[in-house]
Amino acid sequence: MWWITETVAGVITLSCKEAMQHHGISLSMEGIVNLQLSSKSVGVFEAFYNSVKPIQLISNNIEVAKAGKIPGGKTEIPFEFPLNTKGNKVLYETYHGVFVNIQYTLRCDLKRSLLAKDLSRNCEFMVHCQPQKAKVVPTPVKFSITPESLQNTREKSLLPRFLIRGHLDATSCVISQPLTGEVVVEKSEVPVKSIELQLVRVETCGCAEGYARDATEIQNIQIAEGDVCHGLPIPIYMVFPRLFTCPTLETTNFKVEFEINIVIVLHDDHLITENFPLKLCRV
Amino acid sequence: MASVQWRSRGRNYEAELQRCHHEAVPVEFGDYHPLKPIMVTDTKTRRGTRKGSTSSSSSSSSSAPADPLSSMLDGTDPLSMFAAASSGETSAMSHSSSTGDLGRKKRIKEEEVLGADFEPWSTKRGEILARFTTTEKLSINLFMGSDKAPNPGSSAVSEKVRTRLEELDDLEEGSQRQLLNLSQQDYANRIEELNQSLKEAWSTDQKVKALKIVIQCSKLLSDTSVIQFYPSKFVLITDILDTFGRLVYERIWTMCSDPRPLPDSFTAEDVNDTAKETCLNWFFKIASIRELLPRLYVETAILKCNNFLSKLGVQETLPRLTAMIRGIGDPLVASYARAYLCRVGMEVAPHLKESLNANFFDLLTTFRQISGDSVQKQLHIQRVEVPVYLTLYSPAINWILQCIAYRAPEQLLTEMMERCKMMANNALLLNSIMRAFRPEFVATRATDFISMIKDCDESGFPKHLLYRSLGRSLACADPPESERLTILNDAWKVITKVRNPQDYMNCAEIWVEFTCRHFTKREVNTVLADIIKHMTPDRAFEDAYPQLQSVIRKILTYFHDFSALFSMERFLPFLDMFQKDSVRVEVCKFIMEVFIKHQLELTRDPVILNAMLHICKTMHDSVNSLTLEDEKRSLALLIIGFVRMVSFGRDFEQQLSFCVEARATFCNLEPVLVQLIHTVNQLAMETRRVMRGNHSRKTAAFVRACAAYCFISIPSLSSIFSRLNLYLLSGQVALANQCLSQADAFLKAAVSILPEVPRSISVEGKLRSSENFLLDFINNFLATLLVVPDHPEHGVLYLVRGLLNMVQDYTWEENSDAKVRVYISALPLLAAMCQETYLYSIPKVDSNETLYGGDPKFLSEINKLCETLIGQILDHLKVLTRDESVRRQSALAFSLFGVLLAHGDLRNNKLSQLSINLWNLSHKHGYCEARVSVRTLEYIKHQAQQPDMAHLSDTIQRLVLQSRT
């Protein structure tokens, strides 16, 4: 795992039974953003689909060893790459999403004579972006859910009466720290079946021609099960999964954002959802 | 060698004795004796070192008890001393705090490790498993892999990529396994299988599969379908979680110990990065478990691993997990989750008390849910009564409270109690408080507790359970003196109203201890009466034997005065309730053991005798043909113990009549009969002692009665050697008491059963030749015969002849010299009989010396007999000429030589010639030990210097010592 502006360093380890002739060993580093469209959007943006090309962030190539011979046994060749961009390009943090993938790889090639195949190895390495200098001041967000506060319901009068209050300690969160808060079921006519926290990512791919925005679930965590005691605060706590989250990202070509849903399921299978957009960052 | 002539050497025993004595130095009995108990005079030092850690100086009571063995048992035995010393050490450690670096270190250790006074979970475990059982069918639902099936919440996003627990999903076993209709035992087996497969998966490096198993198992804990079984299910499943926690911890531990093992008190800085990363990985993986309960349980299971990551890890995690439990809706599930958290918390960080308290307060808050609709509905569906439901909580709450109460200040406990008082439906809590808090704490507030119990709602938690818990505390700690009677009255008032005999008995059993501890036999008697009253209808006692037994046990722990015990009107009727034979005998055995241990004085108390006879008879009557030997032996030992405790003092006749009665009662146990015969013989000797040897007419009749008793009893024994020895012993006793005809009869009887002695007898289960036993007996018998006067109506030496005839006719083992050995040993007897004054005699009994007064006819009779014997011996020696038997020949010849030397008159030429021949014969084949020969020669030389023995010097000239060339 490397921070941006650091130097990627390591060793190439070659092991062979006996001495081997080769035509040079080279090592290349590459950073790419892959954009993909969801099947939902394919019909509309078919023409556009094809035009989405991977965006190259960084590319470096060095020759590690000239053509020659390596002795039998284990050989270790150290190497170093600076993690710096050329020009005005920006490096992003490693991220594996559904429609957006930011990936950094090292590729080592060993060229051999015509008769033998060239050898190559791929290896992914993680990149974390530079922590923000600015301090994040947590601002608690309170919420209160009642039948009246709900949107997109047809007949509010048919809903059972309930009052659920609570707060999130912050909506701009530090990625390495858990999301915290509290939720209190003050009253509910129908017993609660389950309360869940749903972490959703919203990926937007697009450019001048238009854009595709897709929300997908990353992680769903149950924080309450069954008819919980009324009036007793239940903690909200979620660790952001590594790899599947990254600091909120906004570029000209694509966006990666995160949201949290508090989902309350009642015993008659009513589903109440409260949505909070999150801003993730690194400190 | 033609006929031999025997002349006995004349002996002057007194002169010989004098000769032996003039060199003898009286033995000084020094102060030192190895068996004497060690005397500790300085007891002060012991008290002084009490607090120190190393004192294990052997200490013992300074009064020297008579019997060194019994003093060993007085608690000075080295093992228990070590145990006491080490326990003292630990307690000393907890006190020796503060000063010094060492003290500080020790204190830290003390905080981290739970003391021995903390009742561990393992003891509760079995209790819970045994108590919460069900006959209903159980089911296990395992969704290996596809754990998304019941997931209403996720429908919010219709199209989703299943990234959650990705690693888990792509393993095999994507199928859902559902096992229905399991009996309780099957269920336990299944869980154990899972435990095994967890270990297996772990050892084959399938960590993810292991995690999956654990998650699935903890998921089972959210299922409350057969609610009566829930506590047991909890126990079974937390076992798996414990296994898992241990595995993970050990794995990370070994990762850290790469260069060298981690010290016991490591900090996060000592842990290397790979280990930290692995540890973090586990936590991340667990944090992404979707469902609440598995996430909670699994994270709790590996709580200890937080120590690898940071110093405050555990301290921060505990409150978070505590708060997390609030999310569990079902109060029962939640309280058990709390119990588990407290348990792991206590193991990992016993000093963190805050989260324990937080757990308890949360628990109190959620208590109102029990009366809520969801729970009531569930109970209705499962048809479970509220009181039963409430008892399901007790293990969890007990445990939590126990954790809180452990070394907690008094003030905290008082606060807890006040809080509970304020709660509605507090019976359950009250019960747990009484169970978990220190007994002393409860005992001092017993009156408060009683009034609180009275105030409790009758419909909820069963009251008898409350009284039971209270009784349990009072059994180990004392309430204030003045309140004791009120407490007992109040408690018993309620207990006696309990209808269900089982419930009643459970309760009464515990309160008996309190009663015994503080009150007299009157109160105990009342309690016993009440128990009898409750347990007799419908033979309810049949189901309560263990409890009834424990009642007896408790009474006997506190009452050692058996006359008081048996004078309790209800004690024997209480014993009568044990109607199942095996239980009855067990109880009797127990009473007898206590009796033997604690009844130190001989007794003639008719109350004790009657009751004990009754008890012993019960034990005796349980013996049948199927009874094991060991069992018989132990029963016999107990009864013998009783017989030995009975003494009527000077009232010998009553003692004899007791023995008569006992013989009739215990006729099936031989050891008891043997003991009775010994007792009666002792009685006769005691009578003789009292009369100083001069029997009056009355006492003479009495000792004859004793002899008669023995004479009748002995034939009923089956062991031949018991019979022989007892005949001989009784004969000796009769002789000592001047009952000549009785003595004669005994000895005659002994002789007459000699042919019945089998060639081999079983000794400790092994078949062994009886020859040596028989030889021993005959030698003993011969020694007695010296003093037995001849019967006027029978010929001279009637008994000796009789014995020798029996020996002659007895079928000895082939190739055995036993017969000849008997002959050889008969010679000294015959020689002794020829003397003018016998070596020993019995006061007031005229032996043959007086009867015959050295009559030549008598002497020639003896000589003839000797000659016959020697003839027989020599005949036998002639047979032993074959190579393999020459060694025996040499030994026999030498022993005969010895006899001739000691008892024969060697002035007689023939005899002297015979002895020289025997000497040569024994040395012929070189089997004689040279040292013995040399010593013998020296002895003869020494003897030759005595007056009248000069002839020996001739003999010695002719004895050739074979050189060993």
PDB file of all heavy atoms in Angstrom, chain B residues 297-317:
ATOM      1  N   TYR B 297     -21.684 -11.935  18.372  1.00  0.00           N
ATOM      2  CA  TYR B 297     -21.085 -13.084  19.046  1.00  0.00           C
ATOM      3  C   TYR B 297     -19.666 -13.351  18.556  1.00  0.00           C
ATOM      4  O   TYR B 297     -18.771 -13.619  19.346  1.00  0.00           O
ATOM      5  CB  TYR B 297     -21.941 -14.336  18.839  1.00  0.00           C
ATOM      6  CG  TYR B 297     -22.983 -14.520  19.919  1.00  0.00           C
ATOM      7  CD1 TYR B 297     -24.311 -14.245  19.697  1.00  0.00           C
ATOM      8  CD2 TYR B 297     -22.601 -14.985  21.175  1.00  0.00           C
ATOM      9  CE1 TYR B 297     -25.261 -14.411  20.685  1.00  0.00           C
ATOM     10  CE2 TYR B 297     -23.548 -15.160  22.179  1.00  0.00           C
ATOM     11  CZ  TYR B 297     -24.876 -14.881  21.931  1.00  0.00           C
ATOM     12  OH  TYR B 297     -25.792 -15.049  22.919  1.00  0.00           O
ATOM     13  N   VAL B 298     -19.481 -13.271  17.248  1.00  0.00           N
ATOM     14  CA  VAL B 298     -18.159 -13.615  16.725  1.00  0.00           C
ATOM     15  C   VAL B 298     -17.148 -12.563  17.152  1.00  0.00           C
ATOM     16  O   VAL B 298     -16.027 -12.881  17.532  1.00  0.00           O
ATOM     17  CB  VAL B 298     -18.195 -13.773  15.192  1.00  0.00           C
ATOM     18  CG1 VAL B 298     -16.817 -14.125  14.678  1.00  0.00           C
ATOM     19  CG2 VAL B 298     -19.184 -14.849  14.803  1.00  0.00           C
ATOM     20  N   GLU B 299     -17.577 -11.312  17.157  1.00  0.00           N
ATOM     21  CA  GLU B 299     -16.623 -10.293  17.573  1.00  0.00           C
ATOM     22  C   GLU B 299     -16.293 -10.469  19.059  1.00  0.00           C
ATOM     23  O   GLU B 299     -15.148 -10.304  19.492  1.00  0.00           O
ATOM     24  CB  GLU B 299     -17.150  -8.884  17.324  1.00  0.00           C
ATOM     25  CG  GLU B 299     -16.054  -7.874  17.588  1.00  0.00           C
ATOM     26  CD  GLU B 299     -16.378  -6.458  17.119  1.00  0.00           C
ATOM     27  OE1 GLU B 299     -17.441  -6.259  16.518  1.00  0.00           O
ATOM     28  OE2 GLU B 299     -15.547  -5.572  17.375  1.00  0.00           O
ATOM     29  N   THR B 300     -17.309 -10.826  19.835  1.00  0.00           N
ATOM     30  CA  THR B 300     -17.049 -11.073  21.256  1.00  0.00           C
ATOM     31  C   THR B 300     -16.075 -12.235  21.422  1.00  0.00           C
ATOM     32  O   THR B 300     -15.190 -12.194  22.270  1.00  0.00           O
ATOM     33  CB  THR B 300     -18.363 -11.393  21.983  1.00  0.00           C
ATOM     34  OG1 THR B 300     -19.318 -10.417  21.610  1.00  0.00           O
ATOM     35  CG2 THR B 300     -18.174 -11.385  23.471  1.00  0.00           C
ATOM     36  N   ALA B 301     -16.269 -13.245  20.573  1.00  0.00           N
ATOM     37  CA  ALA B 301     -15.413 -14.429  20.704  1.00  0.00           C
ATOM     38  C   ALA B 301     -13.947 -14.096  20.521  1.00  0.00           C
ATOM     39  O   ALA B 301     -13.090 -14.668  21.181  1.00  0.00           O
ATOM     40  CB  ALA B 301     -15.852 -15.499  19.709  1.00  0.00           C
ATOM     41  N   ILE B 302     -13.661 -13.158  19.629  1.00  0.00           N
ATOM     42  CA  ILE B 302     -12.241 -12.857  19.405  1.00  0.00           C
ATOM     43  C   ILE B 302     -11.844 -11.551  20.087  1.00  0.00           C
ATOM     44  O   ILE B 302     -10.870 -10.903  19.699  1.00  0.00           O
ATOM     45  CB  ILE B 302     -11.875 -12.830  17.905  1.00  0.00           C
ATOM     46  CG1 ILE B 302     -12.604 -11.707  17.193  1.00  0.00           C
ATOM     47  CG2 ILE B 302     -12.164 -14.144  17.244  1.00  0.00           C
ATOM     48  CD1 ILE B 302     -11.960 -11.397  15.844  1.00  0.00           C
ATOM     49  N   LEU B 303     -12.590 -11.194  21.112  1.00  0.00           N
ATOM     50  CA  LEU B 303     -12.316  -9.954  21.840  1.00  0.00           C
ATOM     51  C   LEU B 303     -10.856  -9.864  22.281  1.00  0.00           C
ATOM     52  O   LEU B 303     -10.224  -8.817  22.218  1.00  0.00           O
ATOM     53  CB  LEU B 303     -13.239  -9.888  23.060  1.00  0.00           C
ATOM     54  CG  LEU B 303     -13.170  -8.631  23.920  1.00  0.00           C
ATOM     55  CD1 LEU B 303     -13.730  -7.467  23.146  1.00  0.00           C
ATOM     56  CD2 LEU B 303     -13.927  -8.818  25.206  1.00  0.00           C
ATOM     57  N   LYS B 304     -10.329 -10.968  22.701  1.00  0.00           N
ATOM     58  CA  LYS B 304      -8.980 -10.983  23.257  1.00  0.00           C
ATOM     59  C   LYS B 304      -7.947 -10.532  22.221  1.00  0.00           C
ATOM     60  O   LYS B 304      -6.902 -10.001  22.588  1.00  0.00           O
ATOM     61  CB  LYS B 304      -8.654 -12.409  23.716  1.00  0.00           C
ATOM     62  CG  LYS B 304      -7.545 -12.489  24.725  1.00  0.00           C
ATOM     63  CD  LYS B 304      -7.381 -13.910  25.207  1.00  0.00           C
ATOM     64  CE  LYS B 304      -6.204 -14.023  26.151  1.00  0.00           C
ATOM     65  NZ  LYS B 304      -5.923 -15.420  26.469  1.00  0.00           N
ATOM     66  N   CYS B 305      -8.263 -10.739  20.933  1.00  0.00           N
ATOM     67  CA  CYS B 305      -7.310 -10.384  19.893  1.00  0.00           C
ATOM     68  C   CYS B 305      -7.086  -8.885  19.820  1.00  0.00           C
ATOM     69  O   CYS B 305      -6.124  -8.430  19.203  1.00  0.00           O
ATOM     70  CB  CYS B 305      -7.792 -10.885  18.536  1.00  0.00           C
ATOM     71  SG  CYS B 305      -7.846 -12.656  18.473  1.00  0.00           S
ATOM     72  N   ASN B 306      -7.978  -8.097  20.418  1.00  0.00           N
ATOM     73  CA  ASN B 306      -7.781  -6.656  20.433  1.00  0.00           C
ATOM     74  C   ASN B 306      -6.454  -6.279  21.061  1.00  0.00           C
ATOM     75  O   ASN B 306      -5.895  -5.240  20.758  1.00  0.00           O
ATOM     76  CB  ASN B 306      -8.915  -5.985  21.215  1.00  0.00           C
ATOM     77  CG  ASN B 306     -10.091  -5.690  20.314  1.00  0.00           C
ATOM     78  OD1 ASN B 306      -9.944  -4.969  19.339  1.00  0.00           O
ATOM     79  ND2 ASN B 306     -11.232  -6.271  20.612  1.00  0.00           N
ATOM     80  N   ASN B 307      -5.987  -7.146  21.954  1.00  0.00           N
ATOM     81  CA  ASN B 307      -4.716  -6.867  22.625  1.00  0.00           C
ATOM     82  C   ASN B 307      -3.562  -6.778  21.642  1.00  0.00           C
ATOM     83  O   ASN B 307      -2.560  -6.150  21.928  1.00  0.00           O
ATOM     84  CB  ASN B 307      -4.407  -7.963  23.643  1.00  0.00           C
ATOM     85  CG  ASN B 307      -5.300  -7.844  24.839  1.00  0.00           C
ATOM     86  OD1 ASN B 307      -5.802  -6.753  25.123  1.00  0.00           O
ATOM     87  ND2 ASN B 307      -5.517  -8.941  25.531  1.00  0.00           N
ATOM     88  N   PHE B 308      -3.713  -7.408  20.469  1.00  0.00           N
ATOM     89  CA  PHE B 308      -2.635  -7.363  19.490  1.00  0.00           C
ATOM     90  C   PHE B 308      -2.574  -6.001  18.811  1.00  0.00           C
ATOM     91  O   PHE B 308      -1.559  -5.635  18.255  1.00  0.00           O
ATOM     92  CB  PHE B 308      -2.831  -8.441  18.425  1.00  0.00           C
ATOM     93  CG  PHE B 308      -2.651  -9.834  18.934  1.00  0.00           C
ATOM     94  CD1 PHE B 308      -3.703 -10.726  18.948  1.00  0.00           C
ATOM     95  CD2 PHE B 308      -1.419 -10.255  19.421  1.00  0.00           C
ATOM     96  CE1 PHE B 308      -3.537 -12.007  19.415  1.00  0.00           C
ATOM     97  CE2 PHE B 308      -1.245 -11.535  19.888  1.00  0.00           C
ATOM     98  CZ  PHE B 308      -2.307 -12.412  19.892  1.00  0.00           C
ATOM     99  N   LEU B 309      -3.725  -5.320  18.790  1.00  0.00           N
ATOM    100  CA  LEU B 309      -3.807  -4.110  17.988  1.00  0.00           C
ATOM    101  C   LEU B 309      -3.484  -2.864  18.782  1.00  0.00           C
ATOM    102  O   LEU B 309      -2.739  -2.008  18.341  1.00  0.00           O
ATOM    103  CB  LEU B 309      -5.206  -3.986  17.380  1.00  0.00           C
ATOM    104  CG  LEU B 309      -5.532  -5.082  16.371  1.00  0.00           C
ATOM    105  CD1 LEU B 309      -6.919  -4.903  15.842  1.00  0.00           C
ATOM    106  CD2 LEU B 309      -4.513  -5.044  15.241  1.00  0.00           C
ATOM    107  N   SER B 310      -4.068  -2.720  19.941  1.00  0.00           N
ATOM    108  CA  SER B 310      -3.773  -1.542  20.737  1.00  0.00           C
ATOM    109  C   SER B 310      -4.054  -1.839  22.193  1.00  0.00           C
ATOM    110  O   SER B 310      -4.736  -2.787  22.530  1.00  0.00           O
ATOM    111  CB  SER B 310      -4.626  -0.361  20.286  1.00  0.00           C
ATOM    112  OG  SER B 310      -5.968  -0.613  20.612  1.00  0.00           O
ATOM    113  N   LYS B 311      -3.520  -0.963  23.015  1.00  0.00           N
ATOM    114  CA  LYS B 311      -3.611  -1.199  24.446  1.00  0.00           C
ATOM    115  C   LYS B 311      -5.035  -1.017  24.919  1.00  0.00           C
ATOM    116  O   LYS B 311      -5.513  -1.721  25.812  1.00  0.00           O
ATOM    117  CB  LYS B 311      -2.685  -0.209  25.153  1.00  0.00           C
ATOM    118  CG  LYS B 311      -2.376  -0.595  26.574  1.00  0.00           C
ATOM    119  CD  LYS B 311      -1.453   0.414  27.204  1.00  0.00           C
ATOM    120  CE  LYS B 311      -1.499   0.268  28.709  1.00  0.00           C
ATOM    121  NZ  LYS B 311      -1.172   1.519  29.383  1.00  0.00           N
ATOM    122  N   LEU B 312      -5.704  -0.032  24.307  1.00  0.00           N
ATOM    123  CA  LEU B 312      -7.041   0.288  24.793  1.00  0.00           C
ATOM    124  C   LEU B 312      -8.119  -0.449  24.019  1.00  0.00           C
ATOM    125  O   LEU B 312      -9.301  -0.172  24.180  1.00  0.00           O
ATOM    126  CB  LEU B 312      -7.275   1.796  24.686  1.00  0.00           C
ATOM    127  CG  LEU B 312      -6.321   2.611  25.575  1.00  0.00           C
ATOM    128  CD1 LEU B 312      -6.506   4.086  25.325  1.00  0.00           C
ATOM    129  CD2 LEU B 312      -6.589   2.290  27.038  1.00  0.00           C
ATOM    130  N   GLY B 313      -7.690  -1.361  23.137  1.00  0.00           N
ATOM    131  CA  GLY B 313      -8.643  -2.020  22.253  1.00  0.00           C
ATOM    132  C   GLY B 313      -9.829  -2.609  22.986  1.00  0.00           C
ATOM    133  O   GLY B 313     -10.979  -2.301  22.691  1.00  0.00           O
ATOM    134  N   VAL B 314      -9.522  -3.411  23.981  1.00  0.00           N
ATOM    135  CA  VAL B 314     -10.592  -4.095  24.697  1.00  0.00           C
ATOM    136  C   VAL B 314     -11.464  -3.087  25.425  1.00  0.00           C
ATOM    137  O   VAL B 314     -12.687  -3.156  25.413  1.00  0.00           O
ATOM    138  CB  VAL B 314      -9.991  -5.101  25.697  1.00  0.00           C
ATOM    139  CG1 VAL B 314     -11.079  -5.760  26.498  1.00  0.00           C
ATOM    140  CG2 VAL B 314      -9.189  -6.135  24.960  1.00  0.00           C
ATOM    141  N   GLN B 315     -10.797  -2.101  26.002  1.00  0.00           N
ATOM    142  CA  GLN B 315     -11.516  -1.109  26.782  1.00  0.00           C
ATOM    143  C   GLN B 315     -12.510  -0.339  25.917  1.00  0.00           C
ATOM    144  O   GLN B 315     -13.572   0.061  26.384  1.00  0.00           O
ATOM    145  CB  GLN B 315     -10.497  -0.147  27.366  1.00  0.00           C
ATOM    146  CG  GLN B 315     -10.994   0.548  28.586  1.00  0.00           C
ATOM    147  CD  GLN B 315      -9.872   1.338  29.227  1.00  0.00           C
ATOM    148  OE1 GLN B 315      -8.694   1.097  28.958  1.00  0.00           O
ATOM    149  NE2 GLN B 315     -10.238   2.274  30.061  1.00  0.00           N
ATOM    150  N   GLU B 316     -12.125  -0.130  24.629  1.00  0.00           N
ATOM    151  CA  GLU B 316     -13.042   0.599  23.754  1.00  0.00           C
ATOM    152  C   GLU B 316     -14.111  -0.313  23.178  1.00  0.00           C
ATOM    153  O   GLU B 316     -15.222   0.125  22.910  1.00  0.00           O
ATOM    154  CB  GLU B 316     -12.255   1.238  22.604  1.00  0.00           C
ATOM    155  CG  GLU B 316     -11.503   2.466  23.031  1.00  0.00           C
ATOM    156  CD  GLU B 316     -10.358   2.795  22.092  1.00  0.00           C
ATOM    157  OE1 GLU B 316     -10.194   2.072  21.088  1.00  0.00           O
ATOM    158  OE2 GLU B 316      -9.620   3.757  22.382  1.00  0.00           O
ATOM    159  N   THR B 317     -13.749  -1.547  22.970  1.00  0.00           N
ATOM    160  CA  THR B 317     -14.694  -2.448  22.298  1.00  0.00           C
ATOM    161  C   THR B 317     -15.825  -2.872  23.228  1.00  0.00           C
ATOM    162  O   THR B 317     -16.973  -2.985  22.804  1.00  0.00           O
ATOM    163  CB  THR B 317     -13.950  -3.695  21.780  1.00  0.00           C
ATOM    164  OG1 THR B 317     -12.761  -3.281  21.157  1.00  0.00           O
ATOM    165  CG2 THR B 317     -14.807  -4.458  20.817  1.00  0.00           C
TER     166      THR B 317
END
